[in-house]
Structures are given as C-alpha cells and as structure tokens.
Amino acid sequence: MTKIQDVVTFDADGALYAVPVGRVQEILDLRPTAAMPNAPAHLLGIIDLRGANIPVVDLRRLLGRPDGEDTHQSRILVVSIRQDGQEAVIGVKTDRVIEVTLLDNGEMSPLDEADMLRWAGSPLMGIGRCKGAVVSVLDLDRLFARVDLPAPEVAA
C-alpha cells in the first residue's frame, strides 16, 4: 500500500479516475480549441490560457475509449507532466470533474497483475477506493510518455 495525499477525481466513459492534486494547476470549463494541422486524434487543439498556448488532449482517446458527447459537466484539467527532464503544461478533457478528496484510508495499491495481463506500460500509479468505489490513479508522466505533444514554447 502507498500513502497518497489529496487527489482530484474525475470521470471518463463511466470510469472513475484520479490524479494527485499537486499536478493539477486548475480546472476549466470547456472552451473552443484551435485545431492543429496533421494532429493525432487525441490532440484536440490548443487553447489560450492567459497568453500561454496549452495543448488539450482527449482523455477518452488516450485511454482507448470511444468518443463521448460534451456536456455542461465536461471540463479541462490543466496539469503538469514531466518528460525527459522537461516539464510541460497540458489540458486534459474529461467528462466530469467530481471533487478534490482523499482516497479511502489515504492509500492506493499497485496493480501487480498488470504484467501477468500483458498490460505493459500501464498508465496507472495504483488502484484506490473513493467512498468505496474503485478509482484508477493515473501516472500522468507514463500516460503521456508515448504521446506526441507540440514542443514547449521557448521564451525569447
């Protein structure tokens, strides 16, 4: 069992997910994205966030789930990820953000069976419970390890 601090819980395709609250910069209402030429299907486009260009990805597509309809509950989680010693800020479109909370008992456990199930590269940090429901805690860095995102802007 691993202790974990506060998490942000959210829904995608009826499944409950969470990320550590320390990785979430803010939660936005859906807004139009500027489409990028020849972008992969999971990259919805770019939004302007106080002068910064933030790529927005569709969590359903990243997780291999079918597309869903946007609703008044759909949100963009603005999160930080780390790749190859660099940090990037991206938006992740979710069906619904539920709450900032603690996992039951403040604990999660690894999914030791992932290798046996031939699920190499699992994007899970671990499995926890939230009010008794199973919640998959995502490892954002692993989730985006093989995702092509636009190169970060370099300040002049």
Side-chain angles (χ1 to χ4, degrees), residues 23 55 110:
R23 300 296 287 274

Side-chain angles (χ1 to χ4, degrees), residues 23 80-88 139-147 149:
R23 300 296 287 274
S80 62
I81 61 169
R82 296 177 193 100
Q83 296 293 321
D84 302 322
Q86 296 184 38
E87 190 165 320
D139 181 323
L140 291 170
D141 299 336
R142 278 201 311 236
L143 179 64
F144 288 98
R146 292 178 296 231
V147 172
L149 292 174

Side-chain angles (χ1 to χ4, degrees), residues 42-107:
H42 60 267
L43 179 57
L44 298 173
I46 303 290
I47 60 171
D48 174 79
L49 185 60
R50 293 181 293 283
N53 294 324
I54 307 294
V56 177
V57 298
D58 187 308
L59 182 64
R60 282 176 169 249
R61 292 177 185 175
L62 279 177
L63 298 175
R65 308 300 305 154
D67 285 349
E69 293 291 321
D70 292 338
T71 70
H72 69 282
Q73 294 182 322
S74 299
R75 297 289 183 267
I76 298 172
L77 284 174
V78 179
V79 300
S80 62
I81 61 169
R82 296 177 193 100
Q83 296 293 321
D84 302 322
Q86 296 184 38
E87 190 165 320
V89 176
I90 61 162
V92 178
K93 186 183 91 162
T94 66
D95 294 348
R96 175 174 65 114
V97 172
I98 300 167
E99 64 182 337
V100 175
T101 188
L102 274 175
L103 297 177
D104 295 353
N105 303 320
E107 296 180 338

